[in-house]
Amino acid sequence: MFSSLKVRNYRLFFLGQVVSNIGTWMQRIAQDWLVLSLTGSATAVGVTTALQFLPMLLFGLYGGVLVDRLPKRRALLFTQSAMGATGIALAVLTLTGQVHVWHVYLAAFAVGLATVVDNPARQSFVSEMVGPDQLQNAVSLNSANFQSARLVGPAVAGVMITGVGTGWAFLFNGLSFIAPLVGLVLMRSRELYVVDRAPRGKGQLREGLRYVAGRPELIWTIVLVGFVSTFGFNFPVYLSAFADDVFHAGAGSYSLFNTLMAVGSLAGALLAARRGTARLRVLVVGAVAFGALEMVAAIAPSLWLFALLMAPIGMFGMTVNVTANSSVQMSTDPAMRGRVMALYMMIFMGGAPVGAPIAGWITDAYGVRAGLAAGGAIAALAAVTVGLVLARVGNLRLSVGWNRGHPQVRFVPREVQEQLAAAA
């Protein structure tokens, strides 16, 4: 489960991310709270979030082109320094009482700009640290790292904001980037896997898009992730409505739902780390299970049954995320990995701004149960469709039979299916 941590360079990277991920989650909570305190407007909080994700939607693909051209370690030193400096600047403004809401908007947009390069660089740099054999495990541990911080960071931020104020949470986040920067500096260059960088040239963005379009295992994986993230991952809309409108239980139950989902996500990431390989059938089955569980949760009659379903929903959602991420990386040529991962992250992260308004409209018009059920149904239907398309592309057929007294459903090559039919 933790085999990639034997690699010294990756171990330094992982430990640095432990600290900075906690700081990142603390800043997210403190940032929203500060904006709400300054304006009293939930819309202003939404604007802050939109500004942080807008650069990825606008410039994400160009960030991938840059990552394929640049040394990824140096790029990360720059982007991590920039994000740390942003946190410290926001801390100084807040602690001195000079902060205004436009400062927070500017800081959110600056972090978003850094993320345009940082995200694909971090994703693709993993393979240079651990190599292809440990890639699935390392990607899974990265997700487990992030989900662990999701449990710790908001709790620490809540205590710090209540005790000493939001400024100190921003300061902690800014200083937390020292850890990954030290890790990057201490890495041994000779132990990194050498990857040829793409030379400067015209049409590299189009070249990346053509590359993905010509690879069914890439394009259909990204399509599936797009449907799941756009329609299935709108939990801020659904969970708050279930807590308030359906079960009339308040903020405590909303926190419980999110905590249980984070626990399930952490379990899913660790299980993915243990598997060691990224199979497309695991991705398809995980997405079908994720969508089906959302439909079951939509009709849950009691708060506790709904809450218990959050853990497996989080687990299968993380299974989809980790399996798709590692599958895309392992199926991509190293020289194209930055552009492909930029497209992947743009689709994955860009789904929320598109899907959230749709989920909100369905919820307002037909109720939150209908909204959650529709999201789950679309995710499951997309998974089944993509599975059938990949089976057709791979010249596979569905085989239904028995194995040691148990039913078995799997895809097999057509010639194997024909041999089985002839034998029968």
Side-chain angles (χ1 to χ4, degrees):
M1 187 178 291
F2 301 101
S3 58
S4 58
L5 289 177
K6 295 176 183 177
V7 180
R8 179 181 180 275
N9 284 342
Y10 179 71
R11 189 164 62 249
L12 289 169
F13 176 84
F14 182 88
L15 293 174
Q17 291 299 309
V18 168
V19 180
S20 68
N21 281 339
I22 291 174
T24 297
W25 276 105
M26 290 176 64
Q27 173 140 332
R28 287 188 183 185
I29 301 299
Q31 179 177 275
D32 291 349
W33 187 261
L34 177 61
V35 170
L36 196 60
S37 301
L38 291 172
T39 65
S41 169
T43 301
V45 176
V47 169
T48 308
T49 302
L51 286 171
Q52 192 158 329
F53 286 101
L54 184 62
M56 179 61 75
L57 292 175
L58 295 177
F59 311 118
L61 293 176
Y62 296 98
V65 172
L66 284 176
V67 167
D68 280 336
R69 292 176 180 174
L70 299 172
K72 296 175 183 61
R73 185 178 171 194
R74 292 181 188 175
L76 286 171
L77 284 168
F78 174 79
T79 57
Q80 298 277 294
S81 298
M83 289 191 283
T86 302
I88 292 174
L90 202 53
V92 171
L93 288 169
T94 306
L95 292 172
T96 57
Q98 303 299 314
V99 69
H100 299 285
V101 70
W102 69 267
H103 292 137
V104 187
Y105 287 164
L106 184 61
F109 189 74
V111 169
L113 284 175
T115 303
V116 167
V117 174
D118 185 82
N119 219 314
R122 273 190 300 109
Q123 298 286 338
S124 52
F125 187 52
V126 172
S127 64
E128 295 186 22
M129 289 184 285
V130 302
D133 293 340
Q134 294 287 350
L135 182 59
Q136 160 82 7
N137 182 263
V139 170
S140 303
L141 289 182
N142 282 350
S143 298
N145 188 333
F146 188 76
Q147 294 303 321
S148 300
R150 181 182 170 188
L151 291 171
V152 176
V156 176
V159 173
M160 187 171 287
I161 292 169
T162 303
V164 293
T166 56
W168 294 100
F170 294 137
L171 183 61
F172 181 94
N173 178 55
L175 296 177
S176 73
F177 283 95
I178 293 175
L181 289 172
V182 170
L184 289 166
V185 170
L186 292 178
M187 286 182 184
R188 295 170 182 164
S189 299
R190 65 180 181 276
E191 295 179 6
L192 293 173
Y193 287 76
V194 178
V195 173
D196 294 332
R197 297 199 301 272
R200 290 178 176 272
K202 294 182 179 180
Q204 289 181 321
L205 179 56
R206 292 191 299 273
E207 180 187 10
L209 294 175
R210 284 197 301 268
Y211 178 84
V212 173
R215 303 284 296 274
E217 71 277 17
L218 293 179
I219 187 65
W220 289 109
T221 297
I222 293 174
V223 166
L224 177 55
V225 166
F227 273 98
V228 173
S229 64
T230 300
F231 299 102
F233 280 1
N234 295 301
F235 296 112
V237 176
Y238 298 137
L239 298 188
S240 58
F242 265 95
D244 191 37
D245 300 334
V246 176
F247 299 121
H248 309 290
S253 61
Y254 177 61
S255 176
L256 174 65
F257 297 157
N258 280 283
T259 300
L260 290 172
M261 186 170 290
V263 170
S265 298
L266 177 59
L270 292 175
L271 288 173
R274 188 174 183 179
R275 277 196 298 271
T277 57
R279 297 181 182 274
L280 290 177
R281 67 184 181 192
V282 174
L283 171 64
V284 172
V285 171
V288 171
F290 173 77
L293 284 168
E294 283 198 336
M295 289 187 283
V296 173
I299 59 174
S302 67
L303 183 148
W304 289 109
L305 178 58
F306 182 84
L308 289 174
L309 286 168
M310 291 301 101
I313 287 174
M315 184 180 73
F316 282 107
M318 184 52 61
T319 297
V320 172
N321 185 10
V322 171
T323 306
N325 188 310
S326 51
S327 175
V328 167
Q329 290 208 50
M330 288 188 289
S331 302
T332 303
D333 295 334
M336 302 292 297
R337 193 166 282 146
R339 279 165 282 183
V340 173
M341 291 311 298
L343 176 62
Y344 173 86
M345 293 307 300
M346 188 178 74
I347 297 295
F348 180 74
M349 297 174 66
V354 175
I358 298 174
W361 174 78
I362 295 174
T363 298
D364 289 339
Y366 303 102
V368 65
R369 290 188 184 275
L372 182 58
I378 292 173
L381 181 61
V384 171
T385 303
V386 168
L388 293 174
V389 169
L390 288 173
R392 185 178 182 85
V393 170
N395 199 32
L396 302 175
R397 285 186 177 180
L398 187 67
S399 172
V400 181
W402 291 84
N403 182 26
R404 297 179 182 179
H406 298 284
Q408 185 178 62
V409 180
R410 58 178 180 160
F411 286 104
V412 298
R414 288 178 183 271
E415 50 270 22
V416 173
Q417 181 75 13
E418 291 166 0
Q419 291 171 7
L420 290 174

